[in-house]
Amino acid sequence: MVSDMAKRKPNIEDILIIVVVVALCAVAVFKFGVVNQEQRTFTALIDEVRMATVNALHEGDKIYDEKTGICLGTITAVKHEPFLKNVLLNDGTIQPVEFPDYYSVTLTIDGPVVEKDEGYFVDGVVEMKANSEMNVATKYAKPVMKITSISE
């Protein structure tokens, strides 16, 4: 015997549900689909860190976005210099002064970047903008980095 469900024809509600599900799948593929991923080099600055953090950043380490856990790329160069802070002097002028035991670190990172109309994205999710700050994590450190440039 054939059940009543097998004999029923699909009504307009069933067709609308199928159309909505297919449309949502198409939007998800369009939004998150990675089509033209390119290796790009970008530089980032980590300010006001101690020597322990400088020593924890190594060439060859992978660097991740702390919020999403997505790999931003691989560190290819680490340079550090004494951290300079602007100080107001007694005569009213501002002068950069070396802040003792603190350093500025410049990282060069190679990673897969997708260029869209809205900007640069890693894995189609994490947006990369010049002068934007993001919390990142490596195997040994969790600093806040500021992206200074993205190569073309």
Side-chain angles (χ1 to χ4, degrees):
M1 288 195 134
V2 178
S3 68
D4 287 340
M5 284 302 254
K7 293 180 185 177
R8 285 183 49 193
K9 293 182 181 178
N11 59 17
I12 190 74
E13 292 173 358
D14 296 334
I15 294 171
L16 284 175
I17 290 172
I18 292 170
V19 168
V20 167
V21 168
V22 169
L24 287 174
C25 290
V27 167
V29 168
F30 179 73
K31 175 86 174 151
F32 298 112
V34 178
V35 184
N36 55 349
Q37 211 171 35
E38 299 175 358
Q39 280 298 108
R40 297 272 174 120
T41 300
F42 52 96
T43 57
L45 180 68
I46 301 172
D47 258 342
E48 203 171 344
V49 294
R50 294 189 180 264
M51 186 51 81
T53 305
V54 174
N55 292 335
L57 298 168
H58 307 105
E59 291 182 16
D61 282 354
K62 296 207 178 285
I63 190 161
Y64 299 90
D65 178 33
E66 191 175 22
K67 187 165 52 170
T68 61
I70 293 175
C71 182
L72 302 175
T74 305
I75 299 173
T76 57
V78 179
K79 298 176 189 162
H80 71 280
E81 57 190 30
F83 178 65
L84 298 176
K85 194 168 195 167
N86 291 330
V87 176
L88 181 63
L89 300 177
N90 291 337
D91 62 357
T93 60
I94 297 177
Q95 181 178 359
V97 175
E98 188 176 310
F99 209 59
D101 297 331
Y102 283 90
Y103 299 90
S104 293
V105 181
T106 303
L107 299 177
T108 305
I109 303 166
D110 284 338
V113 177
V114 177
E115 185 176 355
K116 295 184 179 180
D117 293 338
E118 301 86 29
Y120 296 105
F121 292 86
V122 176
D123 279 352
V125 179
V126 179
E127 186 173 13
M128 305 290 284
K129 289 182 180 176
N131 295 322
S132 65
E133 289 186 352
M134 60 185 352
N135 293 331
V136 294
T138 65
K139 187 174 181 180
Y140 302 108
K142 289 187 174 182
V144 176
M145 93 176 172
K146 181 178 183 180
I147 298 171
T148 55
S149 69
I150 302 171
S151 70
E152 287 296 326

